[in-house]
Amino acid sequence: MKIVPVMAATSFGFSLVQLDVTIVNIALPNISATFGGGISWLQWIVDAYALTFASLLLSGGFLTDRFGARTIYLLGIAVFAAASLACGLAGMICGPLAVAGFILVERRAKQPLIPKEIFGLPLYRICLFYGFTVNFTYYGVVFIISLYLQKTLGFTPMQAGYAYLPLTATFFLVNTLVGRFGPRAPMVGGALLDAFGFLTLLALGATAPFIALILPFMLIPAGMGTGVPAMTTAVLENVPPEFSGVAIASINAARQAAGAMGVAVFGMLAGNTPAEVHGGLHKAALISIALLLLAAMAAMRMPQIRARPEEKITAE
């Protein structure tokens, strides 16, 4: 079946993005010790990647609609590999602030990047909120977890890297299971599973064995890896093909911007001492649980519609 290689390709790309996030976060304490700087300085290290990624996603969606998903996907993987090699050989606020300007320009443009008709779909707006919430919570909490592992628990960078293995491996497993139940159930279940994963973080104390990290490090990516592909499927099934690339790109751009905001907001909750980092982790987990419950409720209200290519997009 064609769905198998397609899911494998999208899962691979999705996992690469998550791997990039964890790689940077693991190195944060060492970067701080070597070059100096506090939490706000470390936040920009993570946000530089997320914001740049977000700014290019809309262009990627446009190119996908024009030249085909296969061509742009392979080109993206090639560029990603070359950039990663360059990084290996090396030694935020402006973006969210720019949102108002982007909206103003889009409203006046004769041919906007994001077609106005797309925003008329309740399903699109729900998926936009869902994707924003998932990335906001995930990126923000992973940022604090990296500090918690090394500053509070005293893990070395190598040990922190091993601790993240369940986090990355789970993405590969759950991505292959999505697609059998329609988008609504996986989105609701994924958000609830994600919230439960953050709930287990509240049990972590100032000292914790590695085994105590395995459950949250499996539940969190399991929830995200279940909900996000289902969200993507929901958009693709309800947006005409000529708009699908831009629709997905706009949601992914919002997700990456949300990740940068999550790092900025949750980073303020974590101080520089081990006790402050530990307390910040618990506060971030509680906020994440509340937001993900809202995302689950929004997904439950998602209309089960399927827009055909020949149909005109209209608001319900």
Side-chain angles (χ1 to χ4, degrees):
M1 296 177 64
K2 292 185 178 181
I3 189 64
V4 175
V6 171
M7 286 298 298
T10 54
S11 297
F12 177 73
F14 179 71
S15 299
L16 281 180
V17 174
Q18 307 312 317
L19 181 62
D20 250 23
V21 175
T22 56
I23 287 174
V24 174
N25 278 277
I26 288 170
L28 290 178
N30 267 10
I31 293 174
S32 178
T34 303
F35 298 102
I39 294 296
S40 60
W41 193 81
L42 296 178
Q43 288 171 307
W44 269 110
I45 294 177
V46 179
D47 285 354
Y49 172 84
L51 290 174
T52 303
F53 190 15
S55 67
L56 295 174
L57 280 170
L58 286 176
S59 299
F62 172 78
L63 293 174
T64 297
D65 288 339
R66 183 162 186 177
F67 299 106
R70 178 187 176 89
T71 300
I72 299 302
Y73 177 84
L74 293 177
L75 179 62
I77 292 294
V79 173
F80 183 92
S84 297
L85 178 62
C87 290
L89 297 176
M92 155 134 58
I93 193 62
C94 292
L97 282 171
V99 170
F102 174 77
I103 295 174
L104 182 62
V105 172
E106 283 286 284
R107 292 183 64 180
R108 295 181 177 181
K110 293 182 179 180
Q111 292 182 327
L113 281 174
I114 306 176
K116 299 176 182 178
E117 295 86 352
I118 292 180
F119 284 100
L121 288 173
L123 181 141
Y124 174 82
R125 297 196 298 269
I126 290 174
C127 288
L128 187 66
F129 170 73
Y130 187 95
F132 184 95
T133 301
V134 168
N135 268 47
F136 180 89
T137 56
Y138 178 79
Y139 278 61
V141 171
V142 166
F143 175 82
I144 299 184
I145 286 177
S146 297
L147 300 176
Y148 168 76
L149 291 177
Q150 297 181 63
K151 285 194 171 186
T152 303
L153 298 186
F155 280 30
T156 65
M158 182 66 72
Q159 290 172 328
Y162 285 133
Y164 273 121
L165 286 178
L167 196 74
T168 304
T170 308
F171 277 118
F172 286 99
L173 295 176
V174 297
N175 280 179
T176 62
L177 302 177
V178 179
R180 302 180 180 180
F181 309 100
R184 180 190 288 172
M187 286 177 64
V188 174
L192 294 177
L193 192 60
D194 208 0
F196 184 63
F198 287 121
L199 181 63
T200 61
L201 292 177
L202 298 178
L204 297 177
T207 58
F210 171 75
I211 194 171
L213 302 171
I214 294 179
L215 182 60
F217 277 20
M218 293 184 67
L219 290 173
I220 293 171
M224 188 176 184
T226 300
V228 171
M231 176 200 71
T232 302
T233 300
V235 175
L236 290 176
E237 288 184 347
N238 292 280
V239 174
E242 62 269 25
F243 293 136
S244 60
V246 172
I248 290 297
S250 62
I251 288 180
N252 284 335
R255 288 177 56 216
Q256 296 306 315
M261 294 178 191
V263 171
V265 173
F266 287 169
M268 293 188 296
L269 301 177
N272 291 312
T273 68
E276 290 173 336
V277 172
H278 178 229
L281 176 63
H282 284 185
K283 294 175 184 176
L286 288 171
I287 295 173
S288 297
I289 292 169
L291 291 175
L292 287 166
L293 290 177
L294 290 176
M297 289 188 288
M300 290 179 66
R301 299 178 59 188
M302 188 173 65
Q304 292 282 38
I305 58 175
R306 177 186 291 271
R308 296 180 176 83
E310 68 273 14
E311 292 180 338
K312 180 180 179 181
I313 302 181
T314 55
E316 287 193 351

